[in-house]
Amino acid sequence: METFNVTKEKKKKNRIKRVATEQNSAILSIGRVKKVAIQLMMILAVVIYVLPFYWMMLKMFRTSIFAHFPPNLNPLSGTSLSNFVQNLGSVWSFGSFPRWYFNSIFVTLIVLFSSVFVGSIAGYAFARLNFRGREMIFYTVLGTLMIPFPVVSVASYVFMLNIGWLSTYQGIIIPEIASALNVFLFRQYFLTIPKEVEEAAKLDGLNPFQIFTKISAPMAKPAFAASFIYTFIGSWNNFLWPLMVIHSKSLYTLPLVLNFFKGVNGIQIYWNEMMTVVFLTLLPTLIIYAIFERYFVEGISFTGLKG
Amino acid sequence: MLSTGRQNKKTVKLNDGMESRYGYILIAPLLLLIVVFIFFPAFYSFAISLFYYNPFGHQIHFAGISNYAEVLHSSLFAISVLNVMYYTAVVVTLQTILAFSLAMLFNYRFRITRMSRALVFVPAITSPVALSIIFIWVFSRQGMVNYFLSMFGVQPINFFFSTTFAFPAIMAMNIFSTAPYFMVMYLAGLQAIPPHILEAASLDGIRSGWKRFRYIYAPMLSFTTFLVVVLGVIGSMQLFDQVFVITGGGPANSTYVPLIYIYNRAFLYFGTLGVSSAASFILFAVIMAVTLLQRRYLKELRWA
């Protein structure tokens, strides 16, 4: 066990060294003082970026509803686990909070799986299958990226109203599924997989859908990871569309709950409970982020730079 | 049957028919959704903009271009457009600079780099509504910014209740939270620069930070920069969540933006859906024009 750790550590060090020499020759030419200064700047950036979240976390463990001046950033003053349990309890029993939490999870999961499925099969078809008008259809689909959702949202709202989908799950979910970005991401990824891999399967008599599910899709894990993450974030954080389409409180999703909770006590926000709601909203995002952090970065460079 | 010529050319492809059949089957769900939930609403939006329409009272009559006239004559809409232009100019400029600076910083590889970069990225994935609520505190009288300012003897400012400071505070928040997202794009761009270029340049005497920036990073990252600017502009013009949650367009319309106008017209006033649609179409046209303009510029730049 011990030796294993040591070799692992060594390997890691070597890797860092290699990366440093290969990709960043700049680092070799900088002095000791500059190295320290740069690391201090990184830490400063992290402190600035983390501070608001840090205060939020502390506030969840405190009982006072007020924001005090000066802000108390001492993690040991006034905080306790029982305060947190108490805050959590009052938030959980507020309105129909468990139902709202369920709504968010339910809506996001369905959007997630349908959008990734629809996007991946279409992306595969655009990358691999020959059919009449393929290029034209692809660029038309891509063109929808230029139509910002908020701009068509009023008409979508009226459409939902006319077909009786206001304040229904399908009304929130189905218009969110079509994502040109997912299609684009998958198409680009499938284009990078060598065609020869599929040729053998084709000769074995597999139809294109079987080739997709058995051969190509398993090879496209990074594309799936990236599109899962971005679709998750987009749907979980979506505010404008649910705001328009949900008029019954029982169907609220978490961003609507946040907005509602903010104003529920008039001008005074109950900060300890508010921050607990904020945290509960953030929690699934943070868990997914912690697991898939690598793919976030890949996803951005993938869709962004090739766009 | 349709393409005998093609079949002769591609004798190797035995299953051409099957392939194209599957092609259509696999794109069918996507096309259906896009046609029904994107194209149709886009045209529907245009249609509604030409009518006086109240779906609850079932009143509808043709209005011609009068909805457009009302939007264009509305001083509130004019304010919202001016505000969003001001916002876009400030936010896109500063967030691009910040994103580039952060990327330069996090391009240095130390032990702490990966973890720090991961932490800095958190606001970029946080729900805008949740972030807005945290920032209500950050900019409140008791918040962090006032605490910081009080060290320099500045009297506490109630940012979001001030016509002078509310909009800049929202800008600051969005610059802060969007920059890490674009930082990642810059990092990808930076890593695509071959190291031997930096070496060769340093032999040629390009060693100082400014010269590196001027002769290496700026020209080699111009494509990334334009992408960052285009995405930034499109995003900024659609500002809604943060303003809706924090100020609702106030105080005294100082944070009023087009999407708030569109939303209010559709949901606060009855029977002005046509006006709302007209406004969203005008916004759409503006965004489209900006995008196309930038695309064209981008293309020239790319092949330069």
Side-chain angles (χ1 to χ4, degrees), chain B residues 244-257:
Chain B
F244 184 85
V245 172
I246 298 176
T247 61
N253 299 332
S254 62
T255 61
Y256 211 89
V257 287

Side-chain angles (χ1 to χ4, degrees), chain A residues 58-71:
Chain A
L58 290 184
K59 201 65 199 160
M60 293 192 312
F61 291 93
R62 289 177 173 150
T63 47
S64 166
I65 62 164
F66 300 107
H68 295 281
F69 192 85

Side-chain angles (χ1 to χ4, degrees), chain A residues 24 49 130 132 162 262 289 304, chain B residues 19 44 107 118 176 227 245:
Chain A
N24 210 319
Y49 267 91
N130 283 310
R132 235 162 222 271
N162 289 341
K262 190 201 86 179
Y289 179 57
Chain B
E19 199 177 302
Y44 195 33
N107 195 37
F176 169 89
L227 218 58
V245 172

Side-chain angles (χ1 to χ4, degrees), chain A residues 65-299:
Chain A
I65 62 164
F66 300 107
H68 295 281
F69 192 85
N72 182 355
L73 296 174
N74 179 353
L76 298 174
S77 117
T79 55
S80 81
L81 202 62
S82 65
N83 291 343
F84 175 61
V85 173
Q86 195 190 324
N87 287 337
L88 205 61
S90 43
V91 164
W92 203 255
S93 57
F94 167 75
S96 32
F97 198 85
R99 170 76 192 272
W100 294 333
Y101 217 87
F102 166 79
N103 289 342
S104 254
I105 293 172
F106 180 70
V107 167
T108 300
L109 280 183
I110 298 203
V111 170
L112 194 57
F113 284 101
S114 344
S115 183
V116 171
F117 178 70
V118 170
S120 61
I121 56 173
Y124 179 75
F126 285 127
R128 275 291 185 269
L129 306 176
N130 283 310
F131 51 89
R132 235 162 222 271
R134 184 178 72 170
E135 299 302 299
M136 198 202 74
I137 300 171
F138 175 68
Y139 285 106
T140 312
V141 169
L142 207 58
T144 62
L145 282 177
M146 305 246 291
I147 307 176
F149 182 72
V151 170
V152 292
S153 56
V154 174
S156 300
Y157 157 79
V158 179
F159 180 37
M160 295 293 116
L161 176 77
N162 289 341
I163 61 174
W165 279 14
L166 279 193
S167 297
T168 62
Y169 281 119
Q170 67 266 34
I172 320 170
I173 293 168
I174 295 177
E176 267 189 59
I177 293 175
S179 155
L181 203 65
N182 275 343
V183 177
F184 180 63
L185 193 145
F186 278 109
R187 175 183 177 266
Q188 297 305 90
Y189 199 88
F190 283 125
L191 284 176
T192 64
I193 299 178
K195 243 183 181 160
E196 290 71 31
V197 185
E198 292 168 15
E199 297 293 333
K202 212 184 257 176
L203 291 176
D204 284 346
L206 267 68
N207 71 40
F209 187 69
Q210 286 167 324
I211 296 177
F212 169 77
T213 53
K214 292 200 174 121
I215 294 164
S216 308
M219 288 175 74
K221 273 180 195 141
F224 275 97
S227 85
F228 257 101
I229 291 159
Y230 284 101
T231 314
F232 173 86
I233 301 283
S235 172
W236 187 260
N237 295 345
N238 198 355
F239 179 63
L240 179 58
W241 180 240
L243 180 72
M244 285 183 164
V245 91
I246 301 172
H247 298 264
S248 123
K249 234 173 241 164
S250 63
L251 283 175
Y252 270 12
T253 53
L254 288 172
L256 295 183
V257 175
L258 282 170
N259 184 51
F260 175 58
F261 196 84
K262 190 201 86 179
V264 85
N265 295 308
I267 193 122
Q268 175 60 49
I269 296 174
Y270 283 28
W271 281 108
N272 56 339
E273 292 172 13
M274 185 79 248
M275 286 300 147
T276 312
V277 184
V278 169
F279 176 75
L280 289 175
T281 307
L282 264 176
L283 189 63
T285 315
L286 290 177
I287 292 172
I288 288 193
Y289 179 57
I291 301 171
F292 295 105
E293 190 259 330
R294 190 159 67 94
Y295 296 106
F296 268 85
V297 175
E298 271 176 23

Side-chain angles (χ1 to χ4, degrees), chain A residues 48-50 52-53, chain B residues 98 123 135 171-180:
Chain A
I48 293 172
Y49 267 91
V50 167
F53 294 91
Chain B
L98 181 60
F135 271 74
M171 290 176 192
M173 162 184 153
N174 285 350
I175 292 165
F176 169 89
S177 61
T178 328

Side-chain angles (χ1 to χ4, degrees), chain B residues 86-195:
Chain B
Y86 168 44
Y87 172 91
T88 305
V90 174
V91 168
V92 172
T93 311
L94 294 182
Q95 96 189 353
T96 306
I97 294 171
L98 181 60
F100 178 76
S101 316
L102 285 172
M104 289 303 285
L105 180 62
F106 286 106
N107 195 37
Y108 288 103
R109 281 154 196 272
F110 297 108
R111 267 167 187 285
I112 59 164
T113 303
R114 212 184 132 79
M115 190 66 194
S116 317
R117 203 180 57 195
L119 285 172
V120 164
F121 195 68
V122 169
I125 52 161
T126 303
S127 136
V129 179
L131 205 69
S132 302
I133 286 169
I134 296 176
F135 271 74
I136 290 176
W137 167 73
V138 169
F139 284 109
S140 73
R141 281 183 82 93
Q142 294 83 15
M144 231 164 61
V145 172
N146 273 318
Y147 178 54
F148 182 73
L149 291 176
S150 74
M151 292 177 195
F152 303 95
V154 179
Q155 289 300 308
I157 302 164
N158 221 337
F159 284 91
F160 290 129
F161 292 89
S162 140
T163 50
T164 326
F165 293 115
F167 212 25
I170 291 179
M171 290 176 192
M173 162 184 153
N174 285 350
I175 292 165
F176 169 89
S177 61
T178 328
Y181 183 82
F182 292 122
M183 167 193 82
V184 172
M185 287 174 65
Y186 269 121
L187 275 172
L190 279 172
Q191 263 143 46
I193 298 178

